[in-house]
Amino acid sequence: MKNNMHWHQKDIDSIFSELKTSPDGLSSDEARRRLGHYGLNILKEKKKKNPLIMFLDQFSDFMIIVLMIAAIVSGIIGELADTIAILVIIIINAVIGFVQEYRAEKAMAALKKMAAPIATVMRDGMLLNIPASQVVPGDIVILEAGKIVPADMRLTEAVQLKIEEAALTGESIPIEKHTKPLHGELLPIGDRKNMAYKGTFATYGRGTGIVAMTGMETELGRIATLLQEEKEVKTPLQKRLARFGQKLAIAVLGICAIVFSIGIFRGEPPLLMLLTAVSLAVAAIPEALPAVVTISLAIGAKKMVKQNALIRKLPAVETLGSVTYVCSDKTGTLTLNKMAVEELRVDGKMIKVQELRCTVQDSGYKPQDTGNNASGIMHHASLFQSPHDLLMTALALSNDAHMDAQGNVIGDPTEIALYNIAKDNGFHKKVLERKFVRVSEIPFDSDRKCMTTFHVIPPHPPLEKGGRGGFVSFTKGAIDVLIERSMGIFTAEGIKPVNPLEIIQAGERMAADGLRVLCIAMRTWNALPDDMSPENIESELTLLGLIGMMDPPREEAKEAVALCKTAGIKPVMITGDHPITARVIAKRLSIIEDDSKALITGMELEKLPLEEFEEQVEDIRVYARVAPEQKLKIIKALQDRKQFVAMTGDGVNDAPALKRADIGVAMGITGTDVAKEAAHMILLDDNFATIVKAVREGRRIFDNIRKFIRYTMTSNSGEIWTIFLAPFLGLPLPLLPIHILWINLVTDGLPGLALAAEPAEKDIMKRPPRDPQENIFTGMWIQIIWVGLLMGAVSIFTQAMAINAGNTHWQTMVFTVLCLSQMGNVLAVRSEKESLYSQGILSNKPLIGAFILTVLLQLATIYVPYLNPIFKTNPLTLSELLLCFGLSSVVFFAVEIEKWWKRRSIRR
């Protein structure tokens, strides 16, 4: 059977006929035959990747191959320490990559957990509990509160049935179901109210349905297919480092060939030139780069956990710094995921909740005419200070929500909102129920669109003073229904005639603001009526007011959206909710500023050709009523426009998009296991604002990786220029292979790693996102060349000066000046614009520690007698050492002067 999108359009009789079934269900023989034909009602996984192959794949990256070659070469020339260090770095990176890829395979397992274990079906005219995996198309399934829906079903009976579909649709309120056919071929899942979907669960009432789709043909199955088809895209850093590794390897081989050729041409010993060229090649390759990247990401991930962001895949930390669009689910991410009263209409006035200040007080008895219901209401209204008090009492009492022992309010989201607004204004249900005891009720149903509760009215004044009691009924429901059944409206001046047009217009205005509107009414009784039918009870009502509710935006989300915009990131809302609600929330959060074409619905998106959509996608800010595959379409369209996309979400419907996005961000509290397993990062507090903190951290990390690359490539450039230029100036080879490898080891090691701890620069969240296509060297090449050239020039100047002075220690001096020049450089590259002094010398203590240790190690090679023959060095005199320190500081001051010039240019 093909996946048929149109079951919601068919009437019940045609579905019974098409699926060849009846209200008594299938026979056992027919069920077995269909099980053989359609297969088990389970989510199928494609063949998994072999863990060994997965591990070996980690060594296929070009940069890793270059490093493995460098390790082999180091071993051949006798530098075992370098070989071991490089291999350890390679293996650590491979293990991290393997763990991340292996964990990603768990998303399907989490999806399968959502399936119902047991289903109640009619077979051979009898009710049976069977494993849900054996449900087949045509089965009649019985649903009741608490049951998970075992397959996609067309409902044939729905008695006050409500189903929680948030995981599939993003809609925070359980959907009330009915059985009538629906029009509209492309209705979103959230609007197909005569359907129940696999993996969702019933929260209220009961129902019966015919199974239409099972297994991979269900909506949950379609998501599983999308999840398995989508491949994770490489992060910006992975792409940049791959390109960097390829270009670097080619450049290094070319330079080494030139150095070797020039040496041979000048008559240097071939073995010495071969060792020099190979040492230069090993030194030029920044083998510490993978370690710096991994450590930077790990430090960032640790910091982010403290800020409520859990990183599942390390490269995701840096990816946040490249993000240009944040596509966020509305429910629970930008909003609180709970209904709250926003506005009231009472006593003819519209009142925002913030303006509402009520207190309940008993007032004295005021004699009134009790000849009719209206005067009876006025008599009992003397219990309350104002129409506001009466409305609040109605909201507290006509309500099934309650507080548990832990202080949590339990119940339907709408009723919780009414309970809370009453409680917040001093009307506690538990206190009021002692006074106004509930004695009867008429439950809500979708045909009447209202519900009623009956309460005792205590005698007032007391019976001994001639007081009298009675009963009051409170009815809440749809505006249009209650207006037709009302005789008047309660005001501070008494009961006035109802103006239906005025009330309807007020309700429409509230609905246009994205609010879900309820009407509240009452009626008083001298005694409980014998006829408790809705027709009798819910008539001759007196309106008390209108209540407007919504799932409100988070307070901190607006600030986070503003920060995103300052950082050049475009926030986009993608939701399964109604377009009006989506627009209102988006405007309140400033995601959209006006009523332009920044909003599109899933139905409009379905009809839009891909080429036309890709032309508009960068301007759209709100998507409403979208299906899971449409979320993928949005992300792919943005990625086709060379944008880097972060996608937040919590539901099963978000999982394929979370996996496809450049960075998927799942919710830790409300998020499903499926979403968490598919995501790169989890927000432990479900807070959109946490993403902004993560973006800041991602940018800091990328900045620090660039600082390391600038530092190490400048240092390597200095070594190359020193060896390359000396022969052209008629000077002997300034450094031996052991000197090159030592400088490479001590300067690229700890000082380079310490740059990972560098704090964020002041303007980090005022810059636009990095261009995802931007070369990692952008803005760096000139400095690498001129600072490297300066480093080489200072070293060659030291060599020439010492030789001309007849100093036999000239090679030790060149060795020391080049090593210490790189230490000056590491202090200067801490910021692209800020001076070391404005940053604070001690603001990166690990770097200062690494600086001091490296200087001490270098001095050890000069002054420890045991090391002199190994490093071919001689002890320097104090004046020679001070000269070396002075010459090596030239690089530091030159880079600081360049930064001063940059700051001056920016101010101008």
Side-chain angles (χ1 to χ4, degrees), residues 639-862:
Q639 288 173 337
D640 288 345
R641 303 290 290 184
K642 309 300 181 189
Q643 301 294 341
F644 262 74
V645 186
M647 165 73 186
T648 74
D650 53 6
V652 177
N653 59 337
D654 296 321
L658 288 174
K659 188 174 181 180
R660 171 70 194 197
D662 295 286
I663 177 164
V665 185
M667 301 299 111
I669 299 172
T670 58
T672 58
D673 287 345
V674 187
K676 291 174 187 174
E677 292 294 345
H680 304 82
M681 183 174 98
I682 299 169
L683 300 185
L684 300 178
D685 58 356
D686 285 14
N687 195 334
F688 183 82
T690 302
I691 297 172
V692 180
K693 297 175 188 172
V695 168
R696 178 186 171 86
E697 190 62 24
R699 291 187 175 191
R700 184 191 71 84
I701 285 165
F702 185 75
D703 277 0
N704 290 350
I705 290 168
R706 268 177 57 92
K707 286 169 189 174
F708 172 78
I709 291 172
R710 182 189 290 112
Y711 162 68
T712 191
M713 293 308 295
T714 304
S715 301
N716 294 351
S717 169
E719 294 163 26
I720 291 167
W721 283 121
T722 302
I723 292 170
F724 185 73
L725 293 176
F728 289 102
L729 299 172
L731 296 169
L733 206 62
L735 296 169
L736 297 174
I738 186 68
H739 297 150
I740 298 169
L741 293 171
W742 172 256
I743 291 172
N744 182 54
L745 180 66
V746 296
T747 61
D748 277 10
L750 291 176
L753 294 174
L755 281 171
E758 191 63 37
E761 300 209 28
K762 294 172 185 174
D763 67 341
I764 199 162
M765 289 302 285
K766 294 177 183 175
R767 314 176 203 151
R770 299 185 310 275
D771 181 353
Q773 306 305 312
E774 183 182 278
N775 190 297
I776 201 164
F777 286 107
T778 300
M780 213 189 283
W781 272 118
I782 294 173
Q783 191 182 58
I784 287 173
I785 293 168
W786 84 256
V787 176
L789 196 55
L790 177 63
M791 216 177 276
V794 171
S795 300
I796 290 170
F797 174 77
T798 304
Q799 180 185 14
M801 183 180 65
I803 289 173
N804 287 337
N807 192 324
T808 57
H809 303 159
W810 64 265
Q811 199 164 54
T812 303
M813 291 178 72
V814 174
F815 177 36
T816 303
V817 165
L818 187 55
C819 182
L820 296 181
S821 291
Q822 295 185 17
M823 288 299 91
N825 187 35
V826 79
L827 294 177
V829 299
R830 287 182 54 191
S831 172
E832 289 190 30
K833 292 189 288 289
E834 294 296 315
S835 73
L836 176 65
Y837 308 105
S838 66
Q839 281 184 290
I841 293 175
L842 296 178
S843 57
N844 185 347
K845 289 176 184 173
L847 182 60
I848 298 303
F851 174 89
I852 293 168
L853 180 61
T854 303
V855 171
L856 291 175
L857 288 172
Q858 178 62 24
L859 293 177
T861 65
I862 301 170

Side-chain angles (χ1 to χ4, degrees), residues 27 106 180-181 185 294 342 354 383 461 531-532 560 562 575 635 680 743 758 849:
S27 67
K106 293 183 179 178
K180 293 174 248 176
E185 182 180 330
T294 303
E342 293 268 313
Q354 300 90 322
L383 279 169
D531 180 4
M532 290 292 287
T575 179
I635 287 174
H680 304 82
I743 291 172
E758 191 63 37

Side-chain angles (χ1 to χ4, degrees), residues 308-333:
N308 291 314
L310 175 66
I311 302 299
R312 293 191 65 256
K313 299 166 188 176
L314 272 185
V317 179
E318 179 275 334
T319 309
L320 279 160
S322 288
V323 163
T324 55
Y325 279 77
V326 177
C327 296
S328 174
D329 189 41
K330 175 185 74 70
T331 305
T333 312

Side-chain angles (χ1 to χ4, degrees), residues 326-449:
V326 177
C327 296
S328 174
D329 189 41
K330 175 185 74 70
T331 305
T333 312
L334 291 166
T335 65
L336 293 169
N337 195 23
K338 60 181 183 182
M339 297 296 285
V341 175
E342 293 268 313
E343 194 173 28
L344 308 171
R345 187 181 192 276
V346 59
D347 197 12
K349 303 180 190 75
M350 301 299 292
I351 304 173
K352 298 288 185 186
V353 166
Q354 300 90 322
E355 303 165 5
L356 192 61
R357 296 288 182 272
C358 302
T359 55
V360 62
Q361 292 181 2
D362 283 357
S363 59
Y365 172 60
K366 297 174 184 176
Q368 302 282 339
D369 176 18
T370 58
N372 55 44
N373 186 52
S375 60
I377 288 174
M378 291 309 297
H379 167 78
H380 294 301
S382 62
L383 279 169
F384 308 98
Q385 188 179 8
S386 68
H388 303 78
D389 290 5
L390 188 51
L391 177 63
M392 287 295 148
T393 302
L395 296 180
L397 292 172
S398 182
N399 195 319
D400 289 327
H402 64 280
M403 189 176 287
D404 64 12
Q406 287 74 43
N408 302 310
V409 184
I410 308 299
D412 177 86
T414 299
E415 298 219 315
I416 290 174
L418 302 180
Y419 177 101
N420 283 333
I421 187 65
K423 178 175 70 67
D424 291 345
N425 284 278
F427 294 79
H428 295 270
K429 180 182 177 183
K430 201 168 183 180
V431 174
L432 288 168
E433 278 185 329
R434 295 193 199 114
K435 192 172 187 179
F436 302 94
V437 179
R438 186 189 290 197
V439 291
S440 187
E441 65 184 87
I442 304 174
F444 178 89
D445 74 50
S446 54
D447 293 327
R448 287 174 25 251
K449 295 183 182 177

Side-chain angles (χ1 to χ4, degrees), residues 353-633:
V353 166
Q354 300 90 322
E355 303 165 5
L356 192 61
R357 296 288 182 272
C358 302
T359 55
V360 62
Q361 292 181 2
D362 283 357
S363 59
Y365 172 60
K366 297 174 184 176
Q368 302 282 339
D369 176 18
T370 58
N372 55 44
N373 186 52
S375 60
I377 288 174
M378 291 309 297
H379 167 78
H380 294 301
S382 62
L383 279 169
F384 308 98
Q385 188 179 8
S386 68
H388 303 78
D389 290 5
L390 188 51
L391 177 63
M392 287 295 148
T393 302
L395 296 180
L397 292 172
S398 182
N399 195 319
D400 289 327
H402 64 280
M403 189 176 287
D404 64 12
Q406 287 74 43
N408 302 310
V409 184
I410 308 299
D412 177 86
T414 299
E415 298 219 315
I416 290 174
L418 302 180
Y419 177 101
N420 283 333
I421 187 65
K423 178 175 70 67
D424 291 345
N425 284 278
F427 294 79
H428 295 270
K429 180 182 177 183
K430 201 168 183 180
V431 174
L432 288 168
E433 278 185 329
R434 295 193 199 114
K435 192 172 187 179
F436 302 94
V437 179
R438 186 189 290 197
V439 291
S440 187
E441 65 184 87
I442 304 174
F444 178 89
D445 74 50
S446 54
D447 293 327
R448 287 174 25 251
K449 295 183 182 177
C450 56
M451 71 164 284
T452 299
T453 58
F454 261 85
H455 304 266
V456 173
I457 300 177
H460 59 97
L463 286 172
E464 62 271 16
K465 294 185 179 179
R468 64 184 179 83
F471 297 88
V472 61
S473 61
F474 293 116
T475 301
K476 66 174 187 271
I479 295 177
D480 54 340
V481 174
L482 264 62
I483 284 177
E484 289 178 2
R485 302 178 185 186
S486 296
M487 306 291 289
I489 182 165
F490 190 80
T491 71
E493 288 79 37
I495 295 173
K496 295 183 176 179
V498 177
N499 183 340
L501 183 61
E502 182 185 337
I503 303 295
I504 289 170
Q505 285 178 342
E508 287 174 347
R509 206 275 294 153
M510 293 168 82
D513 285 342
L515 301 178
R516 184 183 180 197
V517 186
L518 273 182
C519 188
I520 312 293
M522 70 176 288
R523 181 177 175 180
T524 57
W525 310 78
N526 292 325
L528 275 176
D530 295 328
D531 180 4
M532 290 292 287
S533 66
E535 292 76 15
N536 179 47
I537 301 302
E538 294 167 350
S539 62
E540 298 182 31
L541 302 173
T542 299
L543 294 178
L544 299 180
L546 304 180
I547 309 294
M549 293 166 285
M550 77 179 334
D551 177 11
R554 291 175 176 268
E555 285 292 326
E556 60 275 26
K558 186 168 185 177
E559 184 183 347
V561 166
L563 280 172
C564 278
K565 290 182 174 181
T566 303
I569 300 165
K570 297 180 176 71
V572 174
M573 180 192 291
I574 302 180
T575 179
D577 219 335
H578 195 279
I580 292 176
T581 307
R583 183 185 293 279
V584 169
I585 296 292
K587 288 186 78 173
R588 284 176 61 171
L589 292 171
S590 299
I591 290 174
I592 54 176
E593 305 293 344
D594 52 35
D595 291 321
S596 64
K597 295 180 180 177
L599 184 145
I600 189 171
T601 66
M603 204 173 288
E604 291 167 339
L605 181 58
E606 188 72 29
K607 296 172 184 173
L608 204 61
L610 184 61
E611 298 76 18
E612 196 176 330
F613 173 53
E614 287 196 350
E615 287 175 11
Q616 299 177 26
V617 69
E618 290 176 299
D619 298 318
I620 298 170
R621 295 290 176 270
V622 179
Y623 298 85
R625 281 287 193 249
V626 293
E629 60 270 25
Q630 289 179 318
K631 293 187 178 188
L632 275 173
K633 183 178 179 181

Side-chain angles (χ1 to χ4, degrees), residues 868-879:
N868 290 148
I870 297 173
F871 288 96
K872 311 293 189 294
T873 55
N874 303 105
L876 299 176
T877 65
L878 180 60
S879 59

